[in-house]
Amino acid sequence: MSGNEIVTDVVIIGAGPVGLFAVFELGLVDLKCHVIDILDRPGGQCAELYPEKPIYDIPAFPEISGQGLTDNLMKQIQPFGAEFHFNQMVTNCEKLEDGSFRVTTDADEVFLTKVIVVAAGGGSFQPKRPPVEDVEQYENKSVFYAVRKMDDFRDQDLVIVGGGDSALDWTLNLEPLARSLTLVHRRDQFRGHADSVNKMRALVEEGKINFITGQLGRLEGENGQLTEVYLKTAGGELGVPATRLLPFFGLTMKLGPVADWGLDLHENALIKVDTERFETSVPGIFAIGDINWYPGKLKLILSGFHEGALMSQAAKRIVHPDEKIVFQYTTSSSKLQKKLGVA
Amino acid sequence: MRIFVTDQDGTEHELEALEGWRVMEVIRDWGLNIKAECGGSCACATCHVFVDPEWQDKLNPPTDEEEDMLDSVADYEANSRLSCQILMSEELDGLRVTLADSARQEEAA
């Protein structure tokens, strides 16, 4: 034990709209929250998949963007001082003898908490893996889905695949380091920033990098070390020397380690809860929002808000079993208004 | 009206479709293996299908937005489309598509 554990009432997994609003409802009943998310900012799907797209079914907002909704929620929960832990994924959850939980993340943060709220939406965002045979055996050795240390690419024959900003940015940043760099995309059109596209094309003109229109076909190498990448192109198969490969096909969601916590699942993908407390099959672990399932479930943000409100009442009883819960309205209760910083 | 959908295991299913429904919604409603994680807002590419070449020209061409999302399917082919961007109409009665591997729901753990 490091002795650096963070002790809290509630750990919320997922900083999407439902996780954020749970901070509000839990705050009204005096529970302190820590929120963990694999992304680098709040908003979940709203921020990652459709920040600019309008949402039309949030009560009292005829139209609001994913980013707007996130910003408003962050403002709404500001009085409750929740602490955020971004860029990390919860990996382990251990039930302790006193009924509380020890939660560990892949960034080695440890939380001691009485209640866990899983608000992880479709799961954690993880890179899309290209459908190339044996790609797993190269992963984290010579195939990477992100650049953690630029030096790993120094003097390497690098192949980057993709047409968005990640592919373009890393092409521009790694070109000076790599021995050779080949950018591969399915079409000669890029959705990244125009400025990056222009810079990339200039490097091609100068002969500093190669650009090939095509797709990943197969990999060659041994013991996880890549030697060549074969591409499918209009002119047939094309081999490119490669000691490093960076495929950038964006992110998709996976249930991830939560699947191994022993919670009852629905069709192996969603967490079963009751509709009074939104508690899972393990007392003290709740699931709200898109990740849960119960008869009649609708994957709507507004359903997740309702689930968070009811969950908070149940969580309160676990954390403060001796306190009587008085149901109050924010419009009339001076106690609640004090918590919100408006009285 | 009907559509014919071949799943990732190669089995063909004949599905009843309704005018105005997105092909993604028809496939999802019949319970075939489709992730469609963004719910039809052309933001994720996990409803990826291959359109039978005979039907390709009968569809509206993909918008720039759909083309951009198609960049994020790793198993792209010339007949790749996002099924959330294909709206059912009389002209598409009998449409044939094949579900891409990249449209799969996460495998059971």
Side-chain angles (χ1 to χ4, degrees):
Chain A
M1 291 242 180
S2 60
N4 290 330
E5 292 106 343
I6 296 168
V7 179
T8 181
D9 295 328
V10 183
V11 162
I12 299 174
I13 303 170
V18 171
L20 295 179
F21 192 65
V23 169
F24 182 89
E25 288 293 334
L26 290 161
L28 288 183
V29 291
D30 299 316
L31 300 189
K32 165 87 187 174
C33 301
H34 282 257
V35 186
I36 303 169
D37 199 289
I38 198 166
L39 297 177
D40 60 1
R41 60 196 185 284
Q45 272 194 64
C46 286
E48 179 62 33
L49 288 183
Y50 44 81
E52 307 304 330
K53 295 214 167 158
I55 310 171
Y56 300 102
D57 62 352
I58 304 297
F61 287 95
E63 179 182 339
I64 188 167
S65 68
Q67 193 56 53
L69 182 70
T70 305
D71 293 345
N72 280 357
L73 282 163
M74 288 302 284
K75 189 174 163 199
Q76 193 169 20
I77 66 175
Q78 196 268 333
F80 299 109
E83 285 175 50
F84 288 86
H85 307 263
F86 292 115
N87 292 310
Q88 46 191 304
M89 177 166 73
V90 171
T91 47
N92 244 307
C93 167
E94 183 192 340
K95 187 149 194 167
L96 305 176
E97 264 177 36
D98 65 354
S100 67
F101 300 92
R102 187 183 149 87
V103 171
T104 319
T105 73
D106 61 356
D108 294 327
E109 286 211 60
V110 180
F111 299 83
L112 295 178
T113 184
K114 298 194 177 81
V115 166
I116 297 173
V117 177
V118 185
S124 47
F125 279 99
Q126 296 181 11
K128 284 186 192 167
R129 170 183 272 169
V132 179
E133 209 174 323
D134 294 334
V135 65
E136 298 89 344
Q137 74 170 76
Y138 297 98
E139 285 172 356
N140 300 317
K141 290 179 184 150
S142 50
V143 174
F144 298 89
Y145 299 105
V147 176
R148 297 216 187 273
K149 277 210 326 268
M150 284 181 45
D151 218 45
D152 289 341
F153 298 86
R154 187 181 296 279
D155 300 325
Q156 303 287 336
D157 292 314
L158 172 61
V159 173
I160 295 180
V161 188
D165 281 314
S166 300
L168 290 166
D169 289 350
W170 286 117
T171 297
L172 301 180
N173 288 328
L174 294 174
E175 179 274 324
L177 290 182
R179 181 166 55 205
S180 72
L181 196 154
T182 306
L183 175 65
V184 179
H185 184 42
R186 70 173 181 95
R187 54 178 180 149
D188 190 7
Q189 233 174 323
F190 293 83
R191 64 185 189 285
H193 286 122
D195 181 51
S196 312
V197 177
N198 292 338
K199 284 184 179 149
M200 180 275 293
R201 293 207 192 275
L203 288 175
V204 175
E205 296 259 304
E206 294 166 37
K208 289 189 170 158
I209 63 168
N210 292 316
F211 168 63
I212 296 172
T213 316
Q215 286 173 275
L216 276 180
R218 59 192 176 91
L219 308 179
E220 210 159 276
E222 56 182 355
N223 302 325
Q225 182 48 58
L226 207 58
T227 53
E228 219 155 21
V229 164
Y230 287 87
L231 306 173
K232 288 185 279 185
T233 71
E237 193 179 63
L238 181 68
V240 178
T243 55
R244 292 282 184 276
L245 172 66
L246 282 167
F248 290 115
F249 292 109
L251 302 173
T252 187
M253 291 178 284
K254 295 207 164 111
L255 187 52
V258 177
D260 304 323
W261 291 4
L263 307 175
D264 282 354
L265 300 181
H266 171 73
E267 291 184 347
N268 274 314
L270 299 166
I271 302 172
K272 275 192 192 169
V273 293
D274 67 80
T275 50
E276 184 187 339
R277 301 157 59 92
F278 297 93
E279 198 166 29
T280 68
S281 58
V282 175
I285 303 183
F286 296 82
I288 56 176
D290 283 2
I291 202 152
N292 76 11
W293 184 87
Y294 50 85
K297 168 71 183 183
L298 285 180
K299 285 190 186 184
L300 293 176
I301 292 172
L302 73 94
S303 305
F305 290 165
H306 159 80
E307 294 160 13
L310 268 63
M311 171 279 294
S312 297
Q313 301 286 309
K316 172 73 174 176
R317 290 190 182 93
I318 291 175
V319 180
H320 302 136
D322 301 328
E323 266 181 50
K324 193 172 181 311
I325 303 182
V326 184
F327 182 70
Q328 301 172 95
Y329 293 103
T330 55
T331 39
S332 53
S333 159
S334 56
K335 268 190 188 161
L336 292 186
Q337 288 167 0
K338 210 171 265 172
K339 292 175 196 176
L340 290 165
V342 292
Chain B
M1 62 187 88
R2 301 186 175 280
I3 60 172
F4 298 88
V5 180
T6 305
D7 65 24
Q8 291 92 342
D9 300 323
T11 310
E12 191 181 73
H13 306 261
E14 183 178 339
L15 311 181
E16 193 182 337
L18 291 171
E19 170 113 35
W21 279 47
R22 300 153 189 266
V23 168
M24 177 275 283
E25 292 166 336
V26 177
I27 296 171
R28 187 178 60 184
D29 210 52
W30 284 96
L32 300 192
N33 193 341
I34 189 165
K35 192 169 188 183
E37 72 188 5
C38 79
S41 57
C42 195
C44 75
T46 55
C47 65
H48 175 204
V49 296
F50 303 108
V51 175
D52 185 291
E54 286 192 11
W55 286 90
Q56 252 182 293
D57 295 342
K58 301 193 174 78
L59 304 182
N60 290 325
T63 59
D64 287 351
E65 203 180 15
E66 184 182 346
E67 283 286 1
D68 283 354
M69 282 323 301
L70 281 168
D71 281 350
S72 68
V73 303
D75 49 352
Y76 176 85
E77 297 290 342
N79 57 343
S80 285
R81 292 298 301 262
L82 299 184
S83 58
C84 75
Q85 300 301 302
I86 308 174
L87 224 53
M88 277 312 293
S89 61
E90 285 295 341
E91 299 84 74
L92 297 186
D93 191 5
L95 175 72
R96 277 176 200 274
V97 301
T98 299
L99 278 162
D101 219 53
S102 56
R104 251 180 219 278
Q105 285 272 12
E106 189 175 1
E107 289 297 299

